[in-house]
Amino acid sequence: MSEKKPATASKPTKLVGVKGMNDILPPDSARWEWFEGKVRHLMARYAYRNIRTPIVEPTALFVRGLGEVTDIVEKEMYSFEDRLNGEALTLRPECTAGVVRAVVEHNLLYEGGKRLYYMGPMFRHERPQRGRYRQFHQVGAEVLGFGGAEVDAELILLAATLFKELGLRDIRLELNSLGQPPERLAHRSALIAHFEQHMDVLDEEAKRRLYTNPLRILDSKNPALQAVVESAPQLLSFLGEASLAHFNALRGMLDANGLAYTINPRLVRGMDYYNLTVFEFITDSLGSQGTVCGGGRYDYLIEQVGGKPAPAVGWGLGIERLLELVKEQSPPMAELAPDVYAIIPDASSLPAAFKVIESLRAKGVAVQMHAGSGEGMGSMKSQFKKADSSGATFALIFGADEMAQAQVTVKSLRDGAGSQRLQDLASASDWAHTLQSAH
Ligand code: ATP
Ligand code: MG
């Protein structure tokens, strides 16, 4: 049935995107593509393989994996019921849990450990501000099935190398160890005793978490709590011999590679799944949203989501924050311009011109083809104007006279003189290379 038009049609209201979820437009999208290419090449050099998991996962995966008393699970998840079967689903707020689910589900550790990486959108219902969005993107690396400190070191060096190869400066590394569950338990008692002596300064959230997840209080962003957080007992002093040995082995390997770090005994990270190593890469150039990458070991998560116990370690990196730094610190990117703008004065030349344009593209020449309004191709003058603003190095003019001679005019748009020459259409693939710049 066709929609009936009302007699006095009102103008449809303009639809806008969801708050905190951004469009990534050209020319900025070129920086994203460039970055993704760098990541792929680097991951290949470290022999990490790509994994792609769904954006929607069962809500239980995150509740169980990340911990019920965490910022993400308490207030940041986009959760909904499947309209058809009532299943509780959530847009992934992070990807470690999904990777672990996939690894367990497909029994990937059957033949030994795995080194994996992913890139993609994550969703958290946070207050949008610079460096904090509701849809944002992460690159993550996860190493599963290996318990030694050497993979902790490899992952940290991999991130540091990425920053170096992106031309970034002033990203510092902070390191801590959260020890093992029994050590955490002893620390937990000391922590509760400490906070109980400062009930007057605790905020509502801290009070609520005091007996469920006191470690989370150390991660509080409330400035009023900083003093009592700073004087809290440190997990590092509760570590036993094996945990300390792991920490020291990691430090030795970072030292051997000349990677500087500071130990931050208050670094706890936002999810409950971490043990032993935790770390963050932080910059002071982005204001308060300065953590560009965070990660650590999560040796109990695989078991937690129902897999056979196996150790694991990984990190996640915020692409928006990192690209903001790239914009500030890296040399500007070359403008994206085609090699050639194809000027087609008369629509009757289109079929023949199109064929030549396709053969040039097949040879690797970047060609922007003039397209008309639907009512003709437009004047030569307007076509030349578009050729100029496209940034193309050459204009190819498929004029009717040249076409009649089986030729096309190649005009230089950037040599100042506007020099031009005729080329044979039939041999386009032979002279295609003369149009190509490096891209
Ligand atoms: P923060 O303390 O800034 O909230 P987080 O500890 O919640 O960060 P992780 O869950 O460790 O962050 O995610 C890893 C990285 O992803 C962060 O270091 C950051 O760069 C990025 N990130 C996290 N949340 C957002 C967001 N809402 N918008 C943009 N980037 C984000
Ligand atoms: Mg957060």
Side-chain angles (χ1 to χ4, degrees), residues 71-72 76 124 126 132 221:
D71 280 351
I72 294 181
E76 297 174 358
R124 296 185 193 177
E126 301 198 71
R132 196 176 289 288
K221 294 194 169 76

PDB file of all heavy atoms in Angstrom, residues 71-72 76 124 126 132 221, ligand 2:
ATOM      1  N   ASP A  71      32.248  -0.257  37.642  1.00  0.00           N
ATOM      2  CA  ASP A  71      31.582   0.870  36.959  1.00  0.00           C
ATOM      3  C   ASP A  71      30.832   0.392  35.732  1.00  0.00           C
ATOM      4  O   ASP A  71      29.690   0.756  35.493  1.00  0.00           O
ATOM      5  CB  ASP A  71      32.615   1.923  36.526  1.00  0.00           C
ATOM      6  CG  ASP A  71      33.018   2.810  37.697  1.00  0.00           C
ATOM      7  OD1 ASP A  71      32.376   2.706  38.764  1.00  0.00           O
ATOM      8  OD2 ASP A  71      33.970   3.597  37.535  1.00  0.00           O
ATOM      9  N   ILE A  72      31.495  -0.444  34.940  1.00  0.00           N
ATOM     10  CA  ILE A  72      30.896  -0.860  33.674  1.00  0.00           C
ATOM     11  C   ILE A  72      29.589  -1.595  33.915  1.00  0.00           C
ATOM     12  O   ILE A  72      28.547  -1.244  33.364  1.00  0.00           O
ATOM     13  CB  ILE A  72      31.870  -1.742  32.853  1.00  0.00           C
ATOM     14  CG1 ILE A  72      33.088  -0.913  32.409  1.00  0.00           C
ATOM     15  CG2 ILE A  72      31.171  -2.344  31.648  1.00  0.00           C
ATOM     16  CD1 ILE A  72      34.093  -1.672  31.582  1.00  0.00           C
ATOM     17  N   GLU A  76      27.250   1.346  33.134  1.00  0.00           N
ATOM     18  CA  GLU A  76      27.653   1.805  31.798  1.00  0.00           C
ATOM     19  C   GLU A  76      27.183   0.924  30.641  1.00  0.00           C
ATOM     20  O   GLU A  76      27.396   1.262  29.487  1.00  0.00           O
ATOM     21  CB  GLU A  76      29.185   1.947  31.744  1.00  0.00           C
ATOM     22  CG  GLU A  76      29.729   3.004  32.698  1.00  0.00           C
ATOM     23  CD  GLU A  76      31.261   3.058  32.748  1.00  0.00           C
ATOM     24  OE1 GLU A  76      31.930   2.245  32.062  1.00  0.00           O
ATOM     25  OE2 GLU A  76      31.785   3.908  33.482  1.00  0.00           O
ATOM     26  N   ARG A 124      29.718   2.207  25.943  1.00  0.00           N
ATOM     27  CA  ARG A 124      29.551   2.428  27.388  1.00  0.00           C
ATOM     28  C   ARG A 124      28.732   3.694  27.578  1.00  0.00           C
ATOM     29  O   ARG A 124      29.034   4.731  26.975  1.00  0.00           O
ATOM     30  CB  ARG A 124      30.917   2.611  28.082  1.00  0.00           C
ATOM     31  CG  ARG A 124      31.776   1.359  28.003  1.00  0.00           C
ATOM     32  CD  ARG A 124      33.059   1.534  28.793  1.00  0.00           C
ATOM     33  NE  ARG A 124      33.993   0.455  28.461  1.00  0.00           N
ATOM     34  CZ  ARG A 124      35.218   0.345  28.919  1.00  0.00           C
ATOM     35  NH1 ARG A 124      35.695   1.265  29.761  1.00  0.00           N
ATOM     36  NH2 ARG A 124      35.987  -0.651  28.563  1.00  0.00           N
ATOM     37  N   GLU A 126      28.445   6.510  29.209  1.00  0.00           N
ATOM     38  CA  GLU A 126      29.173   7.432  30.069  1.00  0.00           C
ATOM     39  C   GLU A 126      28.800   8.854  29.690  1.00  0.00           C
ATOM     40  O   GLU A 126      28.162   9.084  28.668  1.00  0.00           O
ATOM     41  CB  GLU A 126      30.681   7.251  29.869  1.00  0.00           C
ATOM     42  CG  GLU A 126      31.158   5.844  30.172  1.00  0.00           C
ATOM     43  CD  GLU A 126      32.646   5.790  30.403  1.00  0.00           C
ATOM     44  OE1 GLU A 126      33.094   6.280  31.442  1.00  0.00           O
ATOM     45  OE2 GLU A 126      33.363   5.238  29.536  1.00  0.00           O
ATOM     46  N   ARG A 132      36.002  10.721  25.848  1.00  0.00           N
ATOM     47  CA  ARG A 132      35.073   9.781  26.484  1.00  0.00           C
ATOM     48  C   ARG A 132      33.773   9.803  25.706  1.00  0.00           C
ATOM     49  O   ARG A 132      33.079  10.821  25.682  1.00  0.00           O
ATOM     50  CB  ARG A 132      34.869  10.177  27.951  1.00  0.00           C
ATOM     51  CG  ARG A 132      34.240   9.087  28.800  1.00  0.00           C
ATOM     52  CD  ARG A 132      34.137   9.469  30.261  1.00  0.00           C
ATOM     53  NE  ARG A 132      35.418   9.517  30.956  1.00  0.00           N
ATOM     54  CZ  ARG A 132      36.149   8.444  31.282  1.00  0.00           C
ATOM     55  NH1 ARG A 132      35.720   7.252  30.979  1.00  0.00           N
ATOM     56  NH2 ARG A 132      37.295   8.579  31.901  1.00  0.00           N
ATOM     57  N   LYS A 221      37.347   8.120  41.106  1.00  0.00           N
ATOM     58  CA  LYS A 221      37.818   9.339  40.459  1.00  0.00           C
ATOM     59  C   LYS A 221      37.435  10.568  41.286  1.00  0.00           C
ATOM     60  O   LYS A 221      37.678  11.692  40.869  1.00  0.00           O
ATOM     61  CB  LYS A 221      37.252   9.417  39.042  1.00  0.00           C
ATOM     62  CG  LYS A 221      37.805   8.293  38.169  1.00  0.00           C
ATOM     63  CD  LYS A 221      37.558   8.476  36.690  1.00  0.00           C
ATOM     64  CE  LYS A 221      38.361   7.474  35.869  1.00  0.00           C
ATOM     65  NZ  LYS A 221      37.833   6.101  35.873  1.00  0.00           N
TER      66      LYS A 221
HETATM   67 MG    MG B   2      35.858   3.826  32.494  1.00  0.00          MG
END
